[in-house]
Amino acid sequence: MALEFVQDAPRPIGRSARVTDGVSIDGVVIERLEPNADGRGRLIELITTRDEPIEPIVHVYQVIAEAGSRRGWVYHKWQHDRLAFTMGRFEIHLVDIRENSPTRGARMVLEAGEANPTRLRIPPYVAHAVINNGATACFVNMPTNIYDPNNPDKFRYSGDLDDLGTVPVA
Ligand SMILES: Cc1cn([C@H]2C[C@H](O)[C@@H](COP(=O)(O)OP(=O)(O)O[C@H]3O[C@H](C)C(=O)[C@H](O)[C@H]3O)O2)c(=O)[nH]c1=O
């Protein structure tokens, strides 16, 4: 006797919602992602073309961040980051260092992770730092460019978190 597979019935799904309150840096986009939870766990869409076109996915990686770790300050000259946080307890700092930006010098801090799943788009020349305030956890980046190990699009400042915004960026 043949085994029968049954198509899932149509169902409502959680949709992401753009956050505009508190977004003080031009071009930064925050999307709160909606988990679809059931007895097996949670499924969270990280990005989709269902509602609007997106720049192509060309490169995707996962970062496993140790508890208490900090990545950044870093900025990119060419790529936009599309970071998805669905686990852990991350704090993300952003500073606009673009010379001709209407929001030059603006600084933002947001929290993202299990309690507030988020996709964050960071334009070039917006310096950022990601701090893991929880236990070891992962996040995903879907940058708009491929990583070139021979010419990394990565410009790093390793001083204090508080330095940016108070000391001019060379
Ligand atoms: C980006 C990348 C890196 N690597 C290698 C290079 C290093 O050996 C290692 C760690 O990379 P990196 O030091 O560049 O990673 P972070 O400085 O922690 O930066 C990451 O976290 C901050 C918050 C970001 O915003 C960056 O976009 C993100 O790349 O992975 C690869 O093999 N492939 C890749 O695509």
Side-chain angles (χ1 to χ4, degrees), residues 30 32 65-74 83-95 107-118 120 122 127-135 137-139 160-162:
I30 300 173
R32 292 298 185 192
E66 297 292 345
S69 64
R70 172 182 144 197
R71 290 168 187 269
W73 295 104
V74 65
L83 296 162
F85 300 91
T86 61
M87 304 188 74
R89 208 154 51 81
F90 289 96
E91 183 179 283
I92 305 106
H93 293 244
L94 303 163
V95 174
R107 183 163 179 161
M108 287 171 58
V109 182
L110 68 141
E111 291 179 355
E114 185 168 343
N116 33 25
T118 302
L120 174 65
I122 308 177
H128 46 284
V130 175
I131 297 156
N132 181 1
N133 286 328
C138 302
F139 64 90
D160 283 355
L161 203 57
D162 290 337

Side-chain angles (χ1 to χ4, degrees), residues 110-168:
L110 68 141
E111 291 179 355
E114 185 168 343
N116 33 25
T118 302
R119 190 178 70 248
L120 174 65
R121 184 185 176 91
I122 308 177
Y125 289 93
V126 172
H128 46 284
V130 175
I131 297 156
N132 181 1
N133 286 328
T136 301
C138 302
F139 64 90
V140 169
N141 196 4
M142 302 164 281
T144 52
N145 293 8
I146 294 162
Y147 178 72
D148 179 357
N150 296 315
N151 183 26
D153 177 13
K154 193 153 294 203
F155 299 83
R156 219 179 272 278
Y157 173 74
S158 305
D160 283 355
L161 203 57
D162 290 337
D163 289 354
L164 253 73
T166 51
V167 178

